[in-house]
Amino acid sequence: MRFFACLTVVAAFVSTPASAQHDEWSTSWAASVQGPYPVGNPSAQPDQRFAFPTPPVGANDQTFRLVVRPDLWGRQARLRLSNVFGTRPVTFDGTFVGLRLDGATVVPGTNQSVRFGGKDRVTIAPGEWVWSDAVALPFVADPGALSLAGRKLAVSFHVVGESGPMTWHAKALQTSYVTAPGAGARGREEGEAAFPFSTASWFFLDAVDVTAPAGTPVIVGFGDSITDGTASTMNGDDRWPDVLSRRLHAAYGNRVAVVNAGIGGNQIVGPKEYGPEKPFPGGPSAGQRLERDVLRLSGVTTVIWLEGINDFSKSGNAAVEDVVAGMREGVARMRAGIPGIRVVGGTVVSALGSTIASGAHGFPEQDAKRRALNDFIRSSDLFDGVVDFDAATLDPSAGGIKPEFVPESTMGGAGDRLHPNRAGYLAMGMSIDLALVAPSLAGR
């Protein structure tokens, strides 16, 4: 409490508009949405029947407390709430953001009310999303303070009545919390008593922006489950984008953000149709979600695109030529939408010999297509640079990923020879040239 009291003396400065500080909005955290719940590929998911007894009803007069880790700290923040895959308007109120203490608790005195157009309540139509107003974060007196490194936010909001089908991000690999149905608006509370149920997914919230100096690099990891972090450590923040983030912050401090736009099971060119009436566990195709998950984030300077293995699975069955065409189209749209953006290609990691239960991965034809796509990524002039994730993880003697990268880190077990474990993601994150993805900071 003494620490927080000291921070309050800077409240006048914290409340200064972003324009007066020559700051701009930068996306500090993101989670690509899909849905509606429960269609998706969560990991280590607790039984959700008691929190959400009837999925078509969705949330019912409930408060969510979602735990997220900003990759960049700023004195002001704003939240993006999404009803993109809902089928009816959803009304939110009682929205708060505070510094998470532990579990579902908030550091006393840090919980800040969030408003939308000056009001406590906002209704979001199906297919839409809404940014909140700016909210001052008085506990962020110095955005570069080491005491904030690795800390997480607790974002709480109340769903008024029934939400209907819920927009979500299935694979959070982070524990968040929700009240019982009918519990009402409880986001103001700092304790955990009102939040008995846990979830390993994020619902409705899909981005957090903070104010940061103009030109702050924002790097997006865009891809499938290997970007989303399948088989990494639950609550461990050790996906490859997390490893990259730690390296960049060790080198440059609080002057860069890495955000994750992966969806487990995602494809570049499939499925052809996607929506609340026709969902798919891997979410909308890369092309269908590019606008929302990359172009409409704030301050994006670099994208690392690692994707394609699901296109070549038995459920995707795409031709190499079609995936290459989808990549070309996606890169062209990124460059048209964000002038000066750097687009880095990531070579696709091997799935040869995969033991995944569906049998959709691991066969020789898939690997031949993967190697052909990697040849294109390495040799074409499409990208501004290449990260060779394949070389970082491949066992050349067998053609699959290295044996030490196979046993999975989320629940334990033998692994599926498709998803690297924590050690594999560490190798991937360490293989990235920092100057390639954040050239504006190199040499400073």
Side-chain angles (χ1 to χ4, degrees):
M1 292 297 291
R2 186 183 300 114
F3 174 67
F4 178 68
C6 292
L7 295 185
T8 59
V9 301
V10 299
F13 177 69
V14 169
S15 301
T16 303
S19 58
Q21 301 174 38
H22 305 288
D23 283 356
E24 296 178 348
W25 289 116
S26 295
T27 297
S28 180
W29 173 88
S32 299
V33 292
Q34 58 194 121
Y37 166 84
V39 180
N41 295 305
S43 293
Q45 183 74 286
D47 191 333
Q48 302 289 272
R49 290 177 299 156
F50 302 101
F52 312 118
T54 310
V57 169
N60 181 10
D61 186 23
Q62 287 171 270
T63 298
F64 291 80
R65 176 156 288 168
L66 303 184
V67 177
V68 304
R69 182 178 61 81
D71 204 56
L72 179 73
W73 289 93
R75 293 184 175 93
Q76 295 182 81
R78 64 177 182 173
L79 313 177
R80 191 170 79 176
L81 294 180
S82 177
N83 190 27
V84 165
F85 298 114
T87 59
R88 66 176 78 170
V90 181
T91 298
F92 301 93
D93 65 8
T95 302
F96 289 82
V97 58
L99 190 64
R100 185 247 193 149
L101 179 60
D102 195 13
T105 63
V106 180
V107 173
T110 66
N111 217 13
Q112 306 297 305
S113 178
V114 179
R115 305 184 75 78
F116 298 82
K119 300 178 179 179
D120 176 66
R121 176 176 292 212
V122 64
T123 298
I124 306 178
E128 301 296 330
W129 67 79
V130 170
W131 284 104
S132 76
D133 299 344
V135 55
L137 303 179
F139 51 88
V140 186
D142 175 8
L146 286 176
S147 59
L148 290 170
R151 295 299 299 269
K152 298 183 179 184
L153 293 174
V155 178
S156 308
F157 52 85
H158 172 236
V159 173
V160 178
E162 296 178 357
S163 68
M166 295 186 290
T167 296
W168 72 324
H169 180 85
K171 194 187 305 294
L173 287 161
Q174 167 66 57
T175 304
S176 291
Y177 305 90
V178 64
T179 66
R186 310 296 292 270
R188 185 182 299 275
E189 299 176 24
E190 296 170 338
E192 63 185 341
F195 297 89
F197 301 123
S198 59
T199 180
S201 303
W202 290 304
F203 294 81
F204 299 113
L205 179 72
D206 75 338
V208 176
D209 278 7
V210 300
T211 49
T216 295
V218 175
I219 301 163
V220 178
F222 188 54
D224 52 33
S225 57
I226 296 177
T227 297
D228 211 6
T230 298
S232 66
T233 309
M234 183 70 185
N235 294 318
D237 297 317
D238 50 21
R239 315 160 189 88
W240 71 257
D242 300 317
V243 175
L244 172 61
S245 163
R246 284 188 283 271
R247 293 181 62 211
L248 285 164
H249 288 301
Y252 307 119
N254 189 63
R255 297 160 58 196
V256 58
V258 180
V259 299
N260 194 317
I263 297 179
N266 202 232
Q267 300 178 22
I268 294 175
V269 298
K272 299 299 183 185
E273 297 180 65
Y274 186 93
E277 305 302 331
K278 198 170 183 178
F280 175 74
S285 70
Q288 291 171 320
R289 67 189 185 91
L290 182 64
E291 178 77 19
R292 178 178 59 253
D293 292 348
V294 176
L295 302 181
R296 298 295 291 273
L297 298 181
S298 302
V300 174
T301 56
T302 301
V303 174
I304 305 173
W305 193 359
L306 166 59
E307 197 157 18
I309 197 65
N310 294 311
D311 292 84
F312 302 143
S313 69
K314 290 180 180 178
S315 59
N317 201 30
V320 175
E321 294 76 13
D322 292 339
V323 174
V324 167
M327 273 194 160
R328 287 192 182 277
E329 179 183 351
V331 171
R333 287 175 59 195
M334 290 185 217
R335 290 190 172 132
I338 305 177
I341 191 173
R342 293 178 66 81
V343 185
V344 175
T347 57
V348 180
V349 173
S350 178
L352 190 63
S354 173
T355 58
I356 196 164
S358 67
H361 294 276
F363 51 98
E365 294 82 1
Q366 179 188 40
D367 196 58
K369 290 180 178 180
R370 178 193 70 86
R371 287 184 281 108
L373 180 62
N374 282 351
D375 288 344
F376 167 77
I377 292 169
R378 292 184 181 110
S379 63
S380 76
D381 60 356
L382 178 62
F383 297 101
D384 296 296
V386 173
V387 177
D388 204 340
F389 291 129
D390 181 33
T393 56
L394 186 68
D395 176 6
S397 66
I401 60 175
K402 294 178 180 179
E404 62 267 34
F405 298 164
V406 174
E408 77 119 57
S409 300
T410 308
M411 301 285 289
D416 59 16
R417 298 186 181 274
L418 169 64
H419 301 100
N421 58 16
R422 177 190 176 277
Y425 289 127
L426 178 63
M428 292 172 68
M430 295 300 293
S431 73
I432 302 170
D433 179 357
L434 301 188
L436 174 64
V437 297
S440 65
L441 298 179
R444 290 192 183 180

